[in-house]
Amino acid sequence: MKRSISEIIEQVILYFMIFLILREWFIPIMMLTKTGYFSLFLLFMLICLVIGLCRWPIFISWPIKLLYITWFIVSIYSDATLTTRQFLTNELKYNVEVLLAGDWILVSDPLRTSLFFILIWMLIYLIQYWVTVRLTIYYFLVLTVFFIATLDTFTKYDGTMAIIKVMIIGLIMTSMLFIKRLMQATNTQKDWTSYLRYLTPIIVIVTVVGVAATMLPKAEPQWPDPVPYLKNWSGNGGSSGNSVSTVGYGDNDETLGGPFVGDSTVVYEIKTPSRQYWRVETKDYYTSKGWVHSDSQADELFRSRQTVPFSIFPGMVEEQAIEVKALQEHKFLLQAYGTTNYRLTPEMLLKYSYLNEKVIPVEDDEVTKVALDEYSFIFRQPEYSYTQLKEVTTSTEDDGRYLQLPEQLPSRVIDLAHEIADSYESVYDKARAIEDYFKRSGFKYETTDVQVPASGEDYVDQFLFETKLGYCDNFSTSMVVLLRSVGIQSRWVKGFASGERVLTEEGIYTYEVTNNDAHSWVESYIDGIGWMPFEPTIGFSNPQNIDYDIDVSDLQEEQLPELEEQPKPELEDQQKQNESAGGAVSKFNLSKLKWVLYVLGVVLIIAVFILWKKRGKWQPKLVVQMNRSKLNDPKNFEDGYLVLLKQLERIYLKRGTDETLQQFAKRVDKQLNTAKMTELTVIYEQVIYAGNKLNYDTTEVKESWEYLINRTIS
């Protein structure tokens, strides 16, 4: 039966809304997976919806979709030197070999893309079934909201607006389908005036409420972030009890790792003549989980303007002043590289620790710590000679505690350190090589998806070889351990990054430093030069001041050779064992199996074709088995009757737009030479109007219903 113009318009509107909702599925998928060609995927989705709207048969719709997928794969992935046939043949051979060998993770990108297209195909088919047959969008709507909310919670994707759009569109679709079901149930002919009279208020109310809900002010989240609790519950968070921390400076670094949330609260306003890292303290003892001090504090008191004996040697330049305004209470003083003394009020004393170089202001009783609102200090910016840095090959003149490593440190960490640094001579070049290693070896800066190592796992080993995801603590700790592994004395430094420059006046820069700027980095000791800062964290730049005191003609951009990607030793050993054992993990010889695969493929195609051709015989039987129970209860009788109408429609017995149910039932009975359709229709109408109070002989009804469905077997 041909559809009326009104039905076609209604389905076009519904399918357009489906397209808009599906688009909200694809946006986060493409964004999070960094998949390109978004418009081409949307075009395929649109093609599937148009084909479904036109109701083209399989022998037309399937070739169109398969041709589009093939065109996409060939145009995006094919090598210009190969023909289309060669490319597809090579892909087929490779992927079959990989799948038969069980190495599913090694399947090619074209196959992954093809499977993604097939997934889109299946999803659209399912949605079309819900909309056109079941006349409901409820399950798809709930699934969409859950999908977007999950991505919003566990990833960086912000799904706020997506959920609002999906809910508005979904509620409008739900209303349209409900009105359609209601008209079918009451046998009401569609009148566009009445239809729009019911639908328009719903659309207006849903849209107005959605827009108002978007614009109105909202309270902050009342529940804590569920991500860390789920990770801990599942065991992926390492030690139990770990939760998301708030970024900021803290004293306890015994257990590093785990996610944190940002905090843009300004803690310092600093006026400085040059960009600086704001040093607070150092730590020397790595426990495999974090950092502690190796010994008790050795403190000394200093008064204002007295020289504080920092281990960072001041430069030979003119003294400059830095003014600090503290907006949060911190009972320590910041340092710049080359700090010499502080300018405080006369009653203030400075307690300086030789162990960690932390400076704490105290009262005259020498015990009470004080948090100062404002203070200033003098510094002379250190300058490092490039020529001297390139000549020094030792790091031995300082305290040996800066070479400490845990006894249980995995050997592969030490092996990696030597692999990176052994081809260099000077301490500086070795340190630069290790510093640069993180920037070009697949590491990523991450603050949320960061794990805490398990009880028997080393913090550095986990970061270097397992996750490669982390923030400054991961990068800086790993660099210190790698440096110590090749005999370079190093220590872990805590403080704040430079902050954001907000004002410039007469050569003085004002920086705002927030809790987000809390940071850690590395200092290494070079004989004859002293301690020098290094910055391994991706996205950060340490303000080193190097004097390139060589001829310009000899100076070339400092480059480090590319590190060759070496296979992991344990993987090499495993491969050798497999080969010596006769190939326990063997690869299939595709040439020997190709005829078997061809035969299996032909058999599968023939089987699918036979099932499709014989669907008129097995499909009604399957429908009977799945829906017989619906006739036991008047509540579900309507569903069973609609299933019968669908099966009759398959053999071209479809109710006309101007035909009552009784007229349609008599036409069916006449066509099938029976009276059972009229009997069932009478019961159906009584169920609709009498509700659950109607009693009928379920056995007789089932027999009539099953008889009519079986008659549809061609």
Side-chain angles (χ1 to χ4, degrees), residues 618-677:
W618 58 265
Q619 188 179 8
K621 296 179 181 179
L622 180 63
V623 169
V624 168
Q625 295 298 323
M626 294 176 61
N627 296 279
R628 289 182 81 252
S629 60
K630 293 182 177 179
L631 305 177
N632 293 330
D633 190 346
K635 295 179 180 178
N636 300 320
F637 186 93
E638 179 184 357
D639 294 336
Y641 187 84
L642 294 177
V643 169
L644 174 60
L645 294 181
K646 188 66 178 177
Q647 290 301 308
L648 292 172
E649 182 179 337
R650 191 177 52 79
I651 60 170
Y652 306 104
L653 285 174
K654 183 178 180 181
R655 178 187 170 195
T657 55
D658 300 323
E659 204 173 19
T660 66
L661 278 177
Q662 286 294 336
Q663 291 172 339
F664 172 67
K666 290 177 181 179
R667 181 161 63 88
V668 171
D669 286 339
K670 182 179 180 180
Q671 182 75 22
L672 300 180
N673 194 22
T674 181
K676 295 184 181 297
M677 186 63 186

Side-chain angles (χ1 to χ4, degrees), residues 17 49 113 251 389:
M17 291 182 177
L49 290 172
T113 305
D251 292 322
L389 288 173

Side-chain angles (χ1 to χ4, degrees), residues 3-14 55 131 135 175-199 655-659:
R3 292 172 291 175
S4 64
I5 299 298
S6 62
E7 288 179 323
I8 295 176
I9 294 175
E10 181 185 44
Q11 288 195 350
V12 168
I13 295 173
L14 289 172
R55 297 184 179 178
V131 172
L135 298 180
S175 304
M176 294 176 64
L177 295 172
F178 174 76
I179 294 174
K180 189 172 182 178
R181 289 200 310 272
L182 191 62
M183 287 183 170
Q184 286 188 358
T186 57
N187 196 25
T188 303
Q189 297 300 317
K190 181 178 290 184
D191 174 65
W192 274 100
T193 303
S194 302
Y195 184 73
L196 292 176
R197 187 169 64 248
Y198 294 131
L199 187 60
R655 178 187 170 195
T657 55
D658 300 323
E659 204 173 19

Side-chain angles (χ1 to χ4, degrees), residues 329-498:
E329 185 177 289
H330 282 146
K331 296 181 178 180
F332 53 75
L333 301 184
L334 300 181
Q335 314 162 26
Y337 277 88
T339 298
T340 56
N341 59 77
Y342 289 85
R343 305 291 176 90
L344 307 177
T345 57
E347 66 273 11
M348 285 291 119
L349 293 174
L350 297 178
K351 181 181 288 187
Y352 171 76
S353 169
Y354 285 93
L355 182 63
N356 63 5
E357 303 198 356
K358 194 171 188 177
V359 179
I360 300 172
V362 294
E363 298 282 7
D364 283 336
D365 58 10
E366 304 179 7
V367 176
T368 306
K369 297 180 181 179
V370 179
L372 299 181
D373 295 332
E374 294 183 0
Y375 57 92
S376 63
F377 57 89
I378 303 300
F379 80 107
R380 298 201 305 269
Q381 180 78 30
E383 188 174 68
Y384 303 96
S385 166
Y386 183 76
T387 301
Q388 189 177 3
L389 288 173
K390 299 288 283 185
E391 293 175 351
V392 180
T393 60
T394 56
S395 175
T396 59
E397 294 181 3
D398 208 80
D399 195 337
R401 62 192 170 102
Y402 294 116
L403 292 175
Q404 173 271 335
L405 290 172
E407 293 182 1
Q408 68 273 26
L409 181 70
S411 59
R412 62 178 178 176
V413 176
I414 300 175
D415 294 339
L416 175 63
H418 285 283
E419 179 185 333
I420 298 170
D422 280 356
S423 59
Y424 301 95
E425 295 294 332
S426 69
V427 174
Y428 172 73
D429 284 341
K430 291 177 184 288
R432 280 297 314 277
I434 293 175
E435 180 186 50
D436 191 64
Y437 172 76
F438 297 98
K439 297 177 175 62
R440 52 187 185 145
S441 301
F443 291 85
K444 293 183 180 180
Y445 186 86
E446 177 63 56
T447 60
T448 55
D449 186 20
V450 183
Q451 298 184 14
V452 176
S455 57
E457 192 173 18
D458 184 87
Y459 176 69
V460 168
D461 181 77
Q462 180 203 51
F463 175 65
L464 290 177
F465 298 100
E466 303 297 336
T467 65
K468 290 193 174 184
L469 296 174
Y471 40 89
C472 58
D473 291 348
N474 299 87
F475 287 93
S476 57
T477 300
S478 298
M479 182 173 179
V480 171
V481 170
L482 291 173
L483 288 168
R484 291 182 177 184
S485 297
V486 293
I488 299 176
Q489 296 189 92
S490 303
R491 62 191 180 190
W492 193 61
V493 191
K494 291 180 58 181
F496 293 87
S498 304

